[in-house]
Amino acid sequence: MNAPRAQVDAQTVRFVVNGVAREYSGSPAKRLADVLRDDLGLTGTKIGCNAGDCGACTVLIDGRQVCSCLTAVAQVGGRSVTTVEGLSDAGTLSGLQRAFHQHGAAQCGICTPGMLIAAADLLSRNARPNAEEVKDALGGVLCRCTGYQKIIEAILDVACAEQAPLPTAGAAVGARVPKVDGIAKLTGEERYGADGIPADALWLRVVRSPHHHAAFEVGDLAAFAAAHPGIERVLCARDVPSNGFGIYPHIKDQPVLADGLVRFRGEAVLALVGTRDAVESVGVAELPIRYRKLPPVMGIAAAAAPGAPLVQADKPGNLLLDGWVRKGDAAAAFAGCAAVAEAAFETGFVEHAYIEPEAGWARRIGDRLEIHVTTQTPYMDRDEMALVMKLAREQIRIVPTACGGGFGGKLDLSVQPLVGVAAWLLDQPVACVYTRPESMAASTKRHPSRIRIKSGCDAKGRLLAVETEADFDTGAYASWGPTVATRVPIHASGPYFVPHVSARGRAFFTHCHPSGAFRGFGVPQGAIAHEAMMDELADKLGMDRLAFRRINALKAGDATATGQVLAHSAGLVQCLDALQPHWDAALAACAAFNKSSGARRRGVGIGCMWYGIGNTALSNPSTMRIGLSSKGVLTLYNGAVDIGQGSNTILTQIAADALGLPLQQFNIVMGDTDLTADAGKTSASRQTFVSGKAVELAGRDLRAKLLSLLEASADAALRLEGSVVKATDAQGEHQYDLAWLPSRHGTDALRGEGTFDPPTSPQDANGQGVPYATYAFAAQLALVEVDCDFGTVKVLDIVAAHDVGKAINPIQVEGQIQGGIMQGLGLALMEEYHPGRTENLHDYLIPTIGDMPSMKCILIEDPEPLGPSGAKGVGEPGLIPTAPAILGAIHHATGVRMRQVPVLPHRLRAALKPTETR
Amino acid sequence: MAAYLRPTSQSEAVAALAQRNLTILAGGTDFYPSRVGQPLTEDILDISAIAALREIGEDAGHWRIGATTTWSDLLSARLPPLFDGLKLAAREIGGVQIQNAGTIAGNLCNASPAADGVPPLLALDARVEIADAKNITNVALAEFILGNRKTLLRPDQLLTAILIPKPEHAARSRFVKLGARKYLVVSIVMVAATLEVDAGRVRGARVALGAASAVAQRLPLLETALIGQACDATLGDHAKADHLAALAPIDDVRASREYRLDAGLALVRRVLKELGEVA
Ligand SMILES: Cc1cc2nc3c(=O)[nH]c(=O)nc-3n(C[C@H](O)[C@H](O)[C@H](O)COP(=O)(O)OP(=O)(O)OC[C@H]3O[C@@H](n4cnc5c(N)ncnc54)[C@H](O)[C@@H]3O)c2cc1C
Ligand code: FES
Ligand code: FES
């Protein structure tokens, strides 16, 4: 029998979702994740890969966790499905959700639905799991933000999690406040780039180059569209009004759609626009494109070779930028050194691997274009889109959706110009959601580096000279390459006082995806080199590695490599002192462990870093506004996007204390370029420092306006009760009914505004100057265990001491550090992107919950007078010292110095083999 | 719209296969990942509703694991120590989500060189039962998988069960996998071993190594060398590089060829040592 009954039944699938009977009609093979999101409107379930690799789509089927992206909807017929929307009961958070909230277990929140579901599965079987059981249960869900520790802590604490009281007026700064916008991330209500697409939107699919380098011709696109019902239009290069974009005002070298020549595998060539079914069902072979493959220039050596073919015809030598910092006479100073160390280091491409792929949609409204998109930088997007569209800035509105992770990768345009051009031409909403392989092939990466470094010190261990040349692979287009090539030489000698420095940074074009911004802009690569030198010099002098760093640590009053004298807030010595007891204990523990000689050896290492906050020697202002309506509605107009790091919360805390009202009274409008002011991009660890200062000034401005209305004194305590503002001071109580005020700014009757641009000065030809107003400092130690038989490395413990100036919100600061450590561990041990070979999350490995050590954060607060309440930034610093510390620990454990990351098992094993005596 | 058949009996399933070209879908954990960003157009035979295929049973001579038994089903089944190695493998297949959906037979039919189910089942001397509309036959697993993503199965055949012979002597087994991270990781190499032990001596030994050749391989030279040896912590010392000589691993982004051989040998030694130590 042919089972016709089964076939017919399968077309309509009846099942229960979150306790409610639902019915679906359509293809029975459709992924359950798509049915939940598209057919049932339950967008709380996320799609990060459609391949089982990320776990963001995890749901319960009959109480057990499965990937809904791997489940045919037919298979849930008659069964019961629970999604994140089903975890809270009529608006009341479950204990698990409350624990996530209190512990700061959700940063960007894109992994959170999957994490919560996996945890709910565990807790339904085991009410009091231990940490190992939690890891086993959550091992299938990736998180790129948190480093997992707060997630584990939350689950272990479910039984006890209680709502901590929120701080009162004036006590918000420094408090462990849960995210002010955190609840939506726990209930599935948060809307990311792919979640709010209008039902009538056309779909856009990008056709990308399968070759690293090729010339191509396209055939008759109109005829192709006409022959494919449902395809409205096929866009190509000539449809883009101004077909070039790029980060720097003078380098708009990346086409929106390639024009006859592709320079990297994954470059956009055509865009199919039509119904979703139609664009998705076109086979690649049907497309009217003919490629003629050309030999690609791959890697720095090939690009820099004399006579190398040019990636961009007008860039001789394939050189994008040659940046220098020179102080003193390094070459001469080596002659007077008691110890000199020298080595070369190599790092590869690293993928941001945010769990949310690029997504967004656009619509045309008259002569304006509105783009809803996951982004780190709405204002740069606006300005860039104006250029691409040849429209005025005012004609572009960027509305950032929630951002499911960025780490620098969502600073460059992705879907924006594609959906923008399409929506403009077709006058219909147009949406685009990248697939995971597409996201990985098309997006920017961390710059691969080749770094040569030589460091020398005197007999007492004082550094005398550092000489370094760092070459970077910037890929086919400039993107943030210039930033990397200038930032790296400034930081190249490390957070130490060095009288003689010669540091060079060069970026070369190759036929790879553009290298762009990735947490640290090249500084993490540079830190691997300078920290290895510190270890070697200490070893040569027989000094303790921590003590050696302490002698050389930059302190207030010291001049940096660019000749900038640090006036304040250089807390590296305090960081090292805080690590000292942990360092001593770890050294002793390793010695004890290694006595029983076996294949397993333990070692401890240390890494230090400094990091200039904000743009390099460039103006980077933020403006913040706080409005108060005549009804007493208090609104923070915040142009800084919160990409999970918590700026919405931190800025509200600062605003609340500056104004003198409790933070619960604030509403937030985030990032919308029509409603907020330009607060720059969320990168360079700048939002707490720069936007934080701006919002402090805005809060003070509004406070001054209120106090003058109330005729109250400067130290008055404020209250906002409905539309009535009250102030209590030595004279007693004053009050004012805002209802009396006319609305002057939109709905607001009063507004406070603040702008801050950190003071910097341009660098001269030798790189001398004041490139940053302030620097973050940190030191981390890592304890590792190496299995010498296999070359595998397990990081057991990390202790991280960070000088953050002031921790506005310790939960968020710890979260940034822990997440940074996770990415630093990935850089050190497993992450390496190969174009065309690792375009998914099972060939490209990022750390899972089982790969993370226990992490202890020590917050040092050496205040920065320029910053809000003394705060600096912490977004990037978390990851910079981690890889150096791990590499140092591997050497301590095994005696081999690894100079290439990631230290994959086969690389370490190959290095260990010659050292074996057996 | 493509056809989607979801029969509830094996006979319906093989009848359908006899009539038309159908892609078999079980847990979907290999099926969907290989179609990311592609339309789902093929005609599908979903075997997940055939209740009889999801059973674990035994008769006098064999254990029988039904084709749609998931890795989680296996983990929660009460089975003798003979299956410890297979269970260790089950625990390391993806994450719990994958274990809850993925089937053991799917792992075999997908025939990836890195399939973690293959070495432990080779070390269990497993056979696979194959049905078509007319016949039910069975064949040794070692003969079933022909190469990278290639098996003996014809388009009209269904793998219906995995058969594991009951060993003569008390048996123990183990599995260790080497990957570059803890969870959700494709094996760089993995090793499974089953020992039958009587009076402190090895009476039967089956050792298999995976991800170091297109199909996981037994190590017959080593197995022979182990017979009769004292079953203790020195057992690993019997493994020699020569025993791996027939393997032909590849270089890829995960590891070098040389590493796979070197670490493979170390892994074999460790697995044997651990098996020997279980007094
Ligand atoms: C994130 C992730 C992690 C993974 N980790 C691992 C891992 O660590 N180790 C590992 O080995 N594998 C891993 N896998 C692969 C996969 O989960 C396993 O191979 C699984 O056992 C496949 O079973 P399935 O039922 O899901 O197969 P399906 O995807 O349903 O089918 C797989 C193939 O086998 C065929 N098929 C299935 N059943 C039969 C049958 N009874 N008769 C004939 N043909 C059949 C199908 O047509 C298809 O070609 C992972 C997969 C994912 C997505
Ligand atoms: S979307 Fe399902 S696992 Fe990534
Ligand atoms: S919070 Fe986990 S991915 Fe962002």
Side-chain angles (χ1 to χ4, degrees):
Chain A
M1 209 183 76
N2 194 4
R5 195 170 46 84
Q7 182 177 356
V8 174
D9 281 356
Q11 308 298 321
T12 298
V13 185
R14 293 185 186 81
F15 56 115
V16 172
V17 183
N18 300 329
V20 180
R22 305 296 293 254
E23 197 175 292
Y24 158 84
S25 296
S27 165
K30 189 164 173 179
R31 292 172 156 94
L32 174 61
D34 289 331
V35 171
L36 290 170
R37 292 175 53 84
D38 304 339
D39 297 271
L40 305 183
L42 295 169
T43 53
T45 297
K46 304 304 176 194
I47 295 177
C49 69
N50 257 339
D53 296 322
C54 75
C57 65
T58 302
V59 300
L60 299 179
I61 298 180
D62 290 342
R64 286 180 173 271
Q65 56 167 314
V66 293
C67 292
S68 59
C69 75
L70 304 181
T71 307
V73 62
Q75 297 187 332
V76 297
R79 302 173 76 186
S80 164
V81 177
T82 307
T83 68
V84 67
E85 289 93 343
L87 291 181
S88 46
D89 184 14
T92 310
L93 295 189
S94 68
L96 176 62
Q97 288 167 312
R98 273 203 311 278
F100 265 56
H101 190 52
Q102 292 298 327
H103 283 269
Q107 283 188 26
C108 81
I110 195 82
C111 71
T112 309
M115 290 289 180
L116 287 168
I117 292 284
D121 177 15
L122 169 70
L123 293 170
S124 73
R125 268 160 255 285
N126 179 354
R128 292 206 168 263
N130 62 34
E132 285 313 306
E133 290 165 332
V134 170
K135 289 181 192 177
D136 282 345
L138 273 61
V141 193
L142 298 177
C143 173
R144 191 57 158 167
C145 297
T146 62
Y148 303 100
Q149 184 154 308
K150 290 190 183 295
I151 295 172
I152 298 172
E153 287 165 0
I155 295 169
L156 295 178
D157 191 37
V158 167
C160 340
E162 272 172 33
Q163 199 82 27
L166 287 171
T168 51
V173 167
R176 299 182 73 89
V177 181
K179 273 184 189 291
V180 295
D181 53 353
I183 304 289
K185 297 179 197 294
L186 304 167
T187 57
E189 281 165 67
E190 187 76 291
R191 293 281 176 268
Y192 297 83
D195 295 338
I197 293 169
D200 63 343
L202 293 173
W203 217 254
L204 183 148
R205 180 176 144 207
V206 191
V207 177
R208 296 184 180 278
S209 166
H211 307 299
H212 299 299
H213 186 203
F216 70 91
E217 282 166 34
V218 291
D220 186 342
L221 298 176
F224 179 85
H228 287 78
I231 302 270
E232 297 281 330
R233 182 149 179 175
V234 183
L235 300 175
C236 66
R238 65 175 173 275
D239 295 311
V240 185
S242 176
N243 193 16
F245 68 94
I247 299 304
Y248 280 75
H250 60 293
I251 320 178
K252 301 294 174 193
D253 62 348
Q254 182 165 2
V256 173
L257 289 167
D259 196 355
L261 184 71
V262 284
R263 295 190 180 85
F264 71 94
R265 186 190 143 91
E267 181 159 11
V269 173
L270 299 175
L272 309 177
V273 190
T275 65
R276 186 168 177 184
D277 274 350
V279 298
E280 286 180 349
S281 56
V282 171
V284 178
E286 299 171 52
L287 293 162
I289 317 178
R290 273 214 328 271
Y291 293 99
R292 185 165 51 84
K293 269 172 58 167
L294 297 168
V297 174
M298 304 296 277
I300 297 167
L310 297 185
V311 175
Q312 294 196 24
D314 58 345
K315 297 290 176 358
N318 287 319
L319 187 67
L320 166 63
L321 197 110
D322 189 354
W324 279 97
V325 167
R326 293 187 198 88
K327 181 174 89 163
D329 185 349
F334 283 112
C337 287
V340 174
E342 191 172 357
F345 297 83
E346 193 176 327
T347 72
F349 285 116
V350 183
E351 156 67 18
H352 301 86
Y354 25 76
I355 304 302
E356 178 203 31
E358 293 77 355
W361 61 279
R363 67 175 165 194
R364 179 175 183 169
I365 300 175
D367 66 350
R368 295 193 79 209
L369 182 62
E370 185 179 293
I371 302 177
H372 298 250
V373 66
T374 173
T375 179
Q376 293 179 241
T377 178
Y379 283 87
M380 273 174 57
D381 286 359
R382 179 197 63 181
D383 297 356
E384 192 89 293
M385 281 306 300
L387 289 174
V388 167
M389 298 303 301
K390 293 193 176 162
L391 296 172
R393 279 179 187 179
E394 297 67 38
Q395 287 175 275
I396 309 284
R397 178 182 189 180
I398 304 289
V399 187
T401 62
C403 177
F407 319 113
K410 288 177 183 160
L411 289 167
D412 295 64
L413 292 181
S414 61
V415 301
Q416 296 89 325
L418 296 163
V419 294
V421 169
W424 188 260
L425 292 176
L426 295 166
D427 202 7
Q428 268 197 77
V430 177
C432 178
V433 179
Y434 282 5
T435 63
R436 172 60 54 181
E438 179 177 26
S439 168
M440 295 183 79
S443 68
T444 63
K445 303 282 172 286
R446 180 180 295 288
H447 282 71
S449 66
R450 303 284 176 280
I451 302 178
R452 286 175 302 284
I453 187 167
K454 182 174 170 187
S455 301
C457 62
D458 66 16
K460 292 195 168 132
R462 284 179 304 225
L463 287 171
L464 294 178
V466 172
E467 196 176 79
T468 172
E469 288 201 10
D471 289 343
F472 294 95
D473 180 343
T474 209
Y477 301 105
S479 179
W480 294 84
T483 316
V484 169
T486 50
R487 191 178 265 272
V488 169
I490 297 170
H491 292 82
S493 48
Y496 310 108
F497 175 70
V498 190
H500 303 279
V501 177
S502 165
R504 183 183 199 183
R506 292 188 297 178
F508 292 95
F509 289 107
T510 63
H511 286 114
C512 291
H513 37 58
S515 299
F518 190 165
R519 229 173 176 171
F521 289 108
V523 176
Q525 295 94 306
I528 287 174
H530 66 63
E531 288 307 278
M533 294 299 95
M534 296 303 280
D535 282 354
E536 286 190 38
L537 289 175
D539 290 352
K540 285 192 177 185
L541 294 179
M543 289 180 67
D544 175 76
R545 289 169 285 160
L546 186 151
F548 181 73
R549 287 170 167 84
R550 196 179 185 287
I551 293 174
N552 290 293
L554 276 170
K555 301 174 210 44
D558 286 343
T560 67
T562 69
Q564 175 181 359
V565 176
L566 299 176
H568 309 277
S569 192
L572 181 57
V573 168
Q574 297 97 300
C575 291
L576 288 167
D577 288 347
L579 285 190
Q580 187 76 54
H582 303 279
W583 177 250
D584 296 340
L587 284 172
C590 286
F593 183 89
N594 291 339
K595 263 195 200 126
S596 54
S597 72
R600 296 191 173 94
R601 309 269 309 163
R602 288 192 181 173
V604 55
I606 182 166
C608 295
M609 76 99 225
W610 65 322
Y611 195 75
I613 303 298
N615 293 359
T616 307
L618 289 172
S619 162
N620 65 137
S622 278
T623 298
M624 286 280 155
R625 295 189 185 124
I626 304 171
L628 189 53
S629 77
S630 51
K631 296 206 173 79
V633 177
L634 185 62
T635 308
L636 172 58
Y637 298 96
N638 164 20
V641 240
D642 191 327
I643 56 172
Q645 89 284 24
S647 55
N648 279 343
T649 306
I650 282 166
L651 296 174
T652 308
Q653 286 176 265
I654 296 170
D657 282 8
L659 175 59
L661 286 171
L663 83 164
Q664 313 75 294
Q665 289 196 301
F666 281 81
N667 301 288
I668 303 180
V669 171
M670 184 195 81
D672 184 329
T673 57
D674 272 10
L675 302 177
T676 66
D678 189 349
K681 60 209 164 50
T682 298
S683 77
S685 304
R686 58 180 292 284
Q687 293 299 17
T688 298
F689 178 57
V690 185
S691 295
K693 188 67 194 178
V695 86
E696 186 180 82
L697 296 172
R700 287 187 193 150
D701 184 34
L702 181 58
R703 179 177 173 86
K705 286 177 177 153
L706 282 174
L707 291 177
S708 89
L709 272 183
L710 289 155
E711 294 175 6
S713 62
D715 62 352
L718 288 182
R719 270 175 302 148
L720 177 62
E721 293 172 0
S723 66
V724 179
V725 198
K726 296 181 178 168
T728 316
D729 60 14
Q731 278 97 55
E733 185 167 287
H734 314 248
Q735 52 170 286
Y736 188 92
D737 193 338
L738 297 164
W740 294 107
L741 290 174
S743 294
R744 258 181 274 172
H745 322 263
T747 53
D748 291 327
L750 283 176
R751 265 202 178 170
E753 186 171 300
T755 297
F756 179 62
D757 189 3
T760 60
S761 76
Q763 293 171 269
D764 67 16
N766 284 323
Q768 299 296 298
V770 179
Y772 309 102
T774 190
Y775 296 80
F777 290 85
Q780 295 182 1
L781 74 78
L783 174 67
V784 309
E785 184 173 306
V786 179
D787 191 325
C788 297
D789 282 348
F790 303 115
T792 47
V793 179
K794 169 92 186 125
V795 184
L796 303 173
D797 278 308
I798 294 228
V799 186
H802 282 250
D803 169 22
V804 298
K806 166 78 188 175
I808 305 286
N809 185 330
I811 303 183
Q812 309 290 345
V813 172
E814 290 158 9
Q816 285 306 292
I817 295 171
Q818 291 168 353
I821 290 171
M822 182 270 210
Q823 295 183 356
L825 186 148
L827 171 69
L829 297 179
M830 63 183 83
E831 298 190 32
E832 186 170 52
Y833 186 86
H834 299 276
R837 289 159 75 195
T838 54
E839 287 163 3
N840 58 61
L841 292 172
H842 53 266
D843 289 317
Y844 186 82
L845 300 183
I846 66 172
T848 68
I849 198 169
D851 299 299
M852 292 307 297
S854 90
M855 293 175 277
K856 180 177 172 61
C857 298
I858 303 173
L859 304 185
I860 305 294
E861 299 183 321
D862 189 344
E864 167 52 57
L866 285 171
S869 302
K872 303 189 279 194
V874 74
E876 289 149 299
L879 102 70
I880 301 171
T882 309
I886 292 172
L887 293 176
I890 292 172
H891 172 257
H892 185 228
T894 65
V896 298
R897 298 197 193 270
M898 296 303 288
R899 308 218 192 271
Q900 180 186 7
V901 295
V903 181
L904 296 173
H906 68 103
R907 289 189 184 142
L908 180 53
R909 178 70 195 139
L912 282 168
K913 246 185 152 172
T915 70
E916 279 175 358
T917 46
R918 304 186 251 162
Chain B
M1 195 182 296
Y4 190 98
L5 311 181
R6 194 161 192 254
T8 51
S9 76
Q10 181 175 320
S11 56
E12 284 173 292
V14 288
L17 284 174
Q19 285 179 8
R20 59 202 294 190
N21 225 336
L22 292 164
T23 301
I24 296 171
L25 174 72
T29 63
D30 280 317
F31 175 88
Y32 283 101
S34 59
R35 287 160 178 82
V36 175
Q38 294 168 23
L40 299 167
T41 49
E42 61 258 81
D43 295 336
I44 289 173
L45 176 71
D46 175 350
I47 58 170
S48 64
I50 307 172
L53 282 185
R54 200 172 167 175
E55 282 167 5
I56 299 181
E58 64 180 309
D59 59 25
H62 288 89
W63 293 89
R64 181 190 165 89
I65 301 175
T68 59
T69 302
T70 65
W71 295 106
S72 295
D73 292 342
L74 178 86
L75 282 170
S76 57
R78 283 170 57 101
L79 292 165
L82 173 69
F83 286 93
D84 287 356
L86 188 58
K87 284 192 170 183
L88 285 168
R91 220 166 260 128
E92 298 217 38
I93 305 274
V96 178
Q97 298 95 321
I98 303 300
Q99 294 158 19
N100 282 341
T103 64
I104 305 173
N107 190 250
L108 303 182
C109 293
N110 190 57
S112 157
D116 287 320
V118 177
L121 285 167
L122 285 175
L124 290 173
D125 226 0
R127 300 180 72 80
V128 295
E129 182 184 271
I130 297 171
D132 59 29
K134 301 198 183 77
N135 291 308
I136 297 183
T137 55
N138 66 64
V139 54
L141 176 61
E143 288 160 39
F144 174 72
I145 304 180
L146 302 175
N148 184 1
R149 318 251 163 206
K150 280 216 289 280
T151 68
L152 271 183
L153 272 189
R154 292 193 316 259
D156 66 334
Q157 289 178 319
L158 186 66
L159 195 163
T160 46
I162 298 152
L163 307 173
I164 291 150
K166 294 189 169 170
E168 217 172 302
H169 306 281
R172 53 182 82 154
S173 72
R174 246 189 104 73
F175 170 86
V176 179
K177 139 176 185 177
L178 200 61
R181 70 176 178 190
K182 177 76 197 284
Y183 298 106
L184 294 174
V185 66
V186 183
S187 293
I188 298 174
V189 281
M190 68 288 206
V191 168
T194 305
L195 292 185
E196 291 180 43
V197 182
D198 185 41
R201 296 265 156 199
V202 176
R203 299 295 167 201
R206 288 180 295 277
V207 184
L209 202 146
S213 43
V215 185
Q217 305 276 312
R218 293 261 298 264
L219 303 177
L221 295 175
L222 170 61
E223 293 175 0
T224 311
L226 289 171
I227 301 292
Q229 303 294 347
C231 190
D232 57 27
T234 65
L235 208 52
D237 302 344
H238 300 289
K240 300 280 182 287
D242 289 353
H243 297 148
L244 279 63
L247 302 175
I250 53 160
D251 277 315
D252 65 10
V253 294
R254 278 181 272 280
S256 63
R257 176 197 128 78
E258 191 190 0
Y259 176 82
R260 287 194 159 92
L261 289 175
D262 178 66
L265 177 60
L267 207 57
V268 169
R269 288 190 173 143
R270 204 170 276 187
V271 166
L272 290 175
K273 174 171 186 279
E274 287 171 4
L275 274 175
E277 277 168 349
V278 186

